[in-house]
């Protein structure tokens, strides 16, 4: 089997209604591109949403790290490559490379996924043999997502209640919505002056409709912030953002 068959290739063109006030693609929109590519890559190879549903299981995103070298602008065509680089008994790792029209990388991402039983919401073993057919040795030159320190007890929380628009097809908090709400904690002037170069998020438990949440943010070192979304003082996700001019 060739690497072409292992590596997915997807095309996007940025649209004005998907850009921020600077006319650039946002981190959450990059996240949407990644999820689209991951879903389609999996479906084309027999382990997508419908295939998992037949087995009474579902994919869940556990961790995600995105590093941007620059942000695509309006009407810019981009190509997204995705591939599996590790498969374990309970978790699999998927990588991404986003390139511009000249083929130059503008972003890389790494993600960790698990499968859960739809009824019990507990982790289920992966079909290591089947998934390993699609392993690729293509290089993803960014650091893997790791453990993010807890800061929620060291910062005041901003209250938020989960709403209709926060929910995904499973009726739980959409993984991109976590990212949007956390980035909304930053003042607009910061986006005018700097860029998020690395955004990393760890999903710890599922949010549900009506949950009274608190959103937390703390600068732990210059231009590096740790964040969390909490329910009843317990984090349901943690994240970090590193900014650069």
């Amino acid at each position: 089997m060739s690497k072409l068959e292992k590596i997915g290739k997807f095309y996007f063109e940025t649209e004005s209604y998907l850009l921020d006030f600077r006319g650039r693609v946002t981190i959450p929109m990059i996240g949407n591109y990644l999820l689209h590519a991951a879903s389609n890559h999996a479906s084309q190879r027999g382990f997508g949403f419908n295939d998992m549903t037949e087995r009474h299981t579902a994919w869940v995103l556990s961790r995600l790290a995105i590093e941007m070298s620059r942000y695509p602008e309006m009407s810019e065509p981009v190509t997204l490559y995705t591939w599996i680089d590790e498969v374990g008994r309970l978790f699999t790792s998927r990588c991404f490379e986003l390139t511009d029209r000249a083929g130059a990388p503008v972003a890389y991402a790494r993600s960790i996924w698990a499968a859960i039983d739809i009824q019990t919401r507990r982790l289920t073993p992966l079909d290591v043999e089947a998934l390993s057919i699609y392993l690729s040795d293509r290089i993803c030159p960014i650091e893997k997502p790791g453990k993010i320190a807890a800061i929620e007890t060291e910062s005041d929380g901003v209250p938020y209640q989960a709403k209709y628009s926060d929910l995904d097809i499973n009726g739980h908090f959409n993984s991109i919505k976590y990212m949007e709400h956390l980035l909304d904690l930053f003042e607009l002037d910061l986006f005018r002056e700097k860029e998020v170069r690395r955004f990393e998020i760890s999903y710890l438990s599922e949010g549900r409709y009506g949950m009274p949440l608190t959103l937390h943010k703390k600068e732990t070192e210059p231009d590096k912030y740790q964040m969390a979304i909490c329910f009843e003082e317990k984090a349901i996700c943690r994240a970090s953002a590193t900014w650069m001019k």
Side-chain angles (χ1 to χ4, degrees):
M1 178 175 293
S2 69
K3 290 185 180 180
L4 182 62
E5 292 172 308
K6 295 179 179 180
I7 299 170
K9 188 176 183 180
F10 301 90
Y11 302 95
F12 302 92
E13 183 168 330
T14 59
E15 302 284 353
S16 59
Y17 63 91
L18 301 176
L19 308 181
D20 67 7
F21 72 98
R22 303 168 302 176
R24 300 172 191 170
V25 172
T26 65
I27 287 282
M29 183 49 59
I30 295 292
N32 275 316
Y33 290 165
L34 303 182
L35 295 186
H36 173 89
S39 176
N40 280 276
H41 181 266
S43 293
Q44 293 165 4
R45 288 152 182 81
F47 50 96
F49 177 82
N50 291 333
D51 304 287
M52 298 292 282
T53 300
E54 289 178 2
R55 304 176 192 126
H56 307 289
T57 59
W59 286 113
V60 292
L61 181 58
S62 175
R63 294 181 181 182
L64 174 65
I66 302 171
E67 284 195 15
M68 306 294 302
S69 56
R70 75 170 182 85
Y71 284 75
E73 301 180 356
M74 187 168 66
S75 300
E76 182 173 351
V78 291
T79 303
L80 182 59
Y81 300 89
T82 184
W83 63 97
I84 300 170
D85 72 327
E86 292 181 16
V87 178
R89 193 176 73 86
L90 293 176
F91 294 93
T92 183
S93 173
R94 176 182 287 280
C95 299
F96 305 86
E97 179 182 357
L98 187 68
T99 65
D100 62 17
R101 72 176 75 210
V106 299
Y108 287 98
R110 286 182 174 272
S111 59
I112 298 174
W113 300 76
I116 60 170
D117 183 282
I118 293 174
Q119 297 300 321
T120 66
R121 314 305 292 178
R122 293 182 178 179
L123 294 178
T124 62
L126 298 175
D127 188 338
V128 175
E129 183 177 357
L131 290 172
S132 294
I133 293 173
Y134 299 103
L135 279 172
S136 170
D137 58 3
R138 185 180 178 123
I139 299 298
C140 185
I142 68 169
E143 186 178 342
K144 295 179 180 181
K147 186 175 181 180
I148 300 173
I151 52 87
E152 52 268 22
T153 59
E154 306 169 20
S155 62
D156 294 329
V158 176
Y160 181 81
Q161 189 169 45
K163 300 176 176 63
Y164 157 76
S165 61
D166 292 318
L167 305 183
D168 62 15
I169 193 171
N170 297 309
H172 299 104
F173 215 97
N174 183 297
S175 55
I176 301 301
K177 288 294 184 177
Y178 288 89
M179 300 164 67
E180 290 179 353
H181 293 314
L182 290 170
L183 289 169
D184 281 344
L185 292 172
F186 294 96
E187 296 295 331
L188 202 61
D189 283 345
L190 188 55
F191 289 95
R192 291 191 176 101
E193 299 166 2
K194 299 180 180 180
E195 301 277 14
V196 176
R197 286 306 181 203
R198 181 178 172 97
F199 182 88
E200 186 170 334
I201 187 165
S202 176
Y203 299 96
L204 304 174
S205 62
E206 295 173 314
R208 294 179 176 82
Y209 178 79
M211 269 188 172
L213 305 171
T214 53
L215 283 62
H216 302 258
K217 178 191 70 171
K218 181 181 179 181
E219 188 173 17
T220 55
E221 55 186 271
D223 292 326
K224 178 109 181 241
Y225 292 81
Q226 310 283 72
M227 297 160 283
I229 298 178
C230 296
F231 171 62
E232 296 182 342
E233 302 183 353
K234 184 176 181 180
I236 64 171
C237 87
R238 293 196 180 100
S240 67
T242 302
W243 296 75
M244 293 181 66
K245 288 187 177 180

